[in-house]
Amino acid sequence: PHLKAEALRAVGSNFHQLGHLEEAIRSLNAALIAYQELGDIPNQYNTRLDLGFAYMAAGRYQQAKKQDLSVLEYWRQVNNHRGQTILLNNLGALHQLTGEYEQALACFEDGLAQAQWGGSNRMKAYLLCGIGDVYRDLDVVEEAVIAYDKAEDIAGQLDDRFLRLYLSIAQAKLAI
């Protein structure tokens, strides 16, 4: 039974990467049920995280939020700071996509606080990018520049080309 659950989750993840989102969601839901039947709590929440990503990619934002909030609650209980940092970044992006800017900023800032305990510098930079993006959307240019500059400092230390490219594009959008 455990192998079946793992296979369903792997199939769901592969469907997601191929862009077959409804198949991914079906497979991941089946994996979640299998993990529930096994009583495998950690993998239930890992699968919920995968479901949140798939729902987000499918534009089903409320369902993505529901999964992510469930995982966040569990990760808070088990003190998974790194996981919380990742999830708060996802939730911030979801709130931003749905125009809930206050909630987005709260998630990104909470994520930065969690990153002090167990997140990576790369995640700090992503969270700062999220903050900058929200301020850009709100046309609060000064705050966006501050957040992007902090993220740029981290990206330079990490020599992260993707992050530096993202920041170049984000900063260019500020000038438009």
Side-chain angles (χ1 to χ4, degrees), residues 38-50:
L38 291 167
D40 184 339
I41 293 171
N43 276 316
Q44 287 176 44
Y45 286 98
N46 290 332
T47 303
R48 286 184 186 278
L49 179 64
D50 294 344

Side-chain angles (χ1 to χ4, degrees), residues 4-76:
K4 177 184 175 187
E6 289 176 6
L8 286 166
R9 184 171 174 218
V11 167
S13 294
N14 286 327
F15 273 135
H16 183 182
Q17 289 181 357
L18 293 170
H20 301 290
L21 299 175
E22 291 309 313
E23 292 95 333
I25 290 167
R26 271 193 297 281
S27 231
L28 291 168
N29 273 313
L32 178 59
I33 291 167
Y35 283 126
Q36 288 169 335
E37 290 170 354
L38 291 167
D40 184 339
I41 293 171
N43 276 316
Q44 287 176 44
Y45 286 98
N46 290 332
T47 303
R48 286 184 186 278
L49 179 64
D50 294 344
L51 268 168
F53 282 127
Y55 281 132
M56 184 176 177
R60 294 162 62 177
Y61 302 136
Q62 294 309 316
Q63 289 169 297
K65 284 180 195 175
K66 180 181 174 187
Q67 295 300 327
D68 286 353
L69 287 169
S70 171
V71 177
L72 181 61
E73 182 181 327
Y74 173 70
W75 280 349
R76 285 189 197 271

Side-chain angles (χ1 to χ4, degrees), residues 36-152:
Q36 288 169 335
E37 290 170 354
L38 291 167
D40 184 339
I41 293 171
N43 276 316
Q44 287 176 44
Y45 286 98
N46 290 332
T47 303
R48 286 184 186 278
L49 179 64
D50 294 344
L51 268 168
F53 282 127
Y55 281 132
M56 184 176 177
R60 294 162 62 177
Y61 302 136
Q62 294 309 316
Q63 289 169 297
K65 284 180 195 175
K66 180 181 174 187
Q67 295 300 327
D68 286 353
L69 287 169
S70 171
V71 177
L72 181 61
E73 182 181 327
Y74 173 70
W75 280 349
R76 285 189 197 271
Q77 290 172 6
V78 299
N79 291 316
N80 181 343
H81 297 288
R82 184 176 180 280
Q84 289 177 61
T85 302
I86 294 165
L87 250 173
L88 287 161
N89 187 58
N90 294 352
L91 280 166
L94 279 166
H95 285 301
Q96 182 185 2
L97 285 168
T98 56
E100 300 165 313
Y101 296 112
E102 260 183 60
Q103 295 94 324
L105 284 173
C107 286
F108 291 134
E109 289 168 3
D110 190 5
L112 279 174
Q114 292 301 321
Q116 301 304 320
W117 296 101
S120 68
N121 280 338
R122 181 170 279 108
M123 277 311 303
K124 289 178 193 174
Y126 288 143
L127 290 155
L128 287 163
C129 286
I131 291 169
D133 291 348
V134 170
Y135 282 125
R136 185 193 65 225
D137 287 356
L138 294 173
D139 204 27
V140 183
V141 175
E142 302 81 19
E143 293 295 325
V145 168
I146 290 168
Y148 289 147
D149 284 349
K150 289 179 182 177
E152 181 69 43

Side-chain angles (χ1 to χ4, degrees), residues 121-126 128-129 147-168 171:
N121 280 338
R122 181 170 279 108
M123 277 311 303
K124 289 178 193 174
Y126 288 143
L128 287 163
C129 286
Y148 289 147
D149 284 349
K150 289 179 182 177
E152 181 69 43
D153 289 344
I154 295 170
Q157 294 168 14
L158 298 173
D159 195 29
D160 186 321
R161 291 180 187 161
F162 169 78
L163 193 51
R164 293 179 96 173
L165 176 62
Y166 181 88
L167 284 161
S168 294
Q171 290 165 336

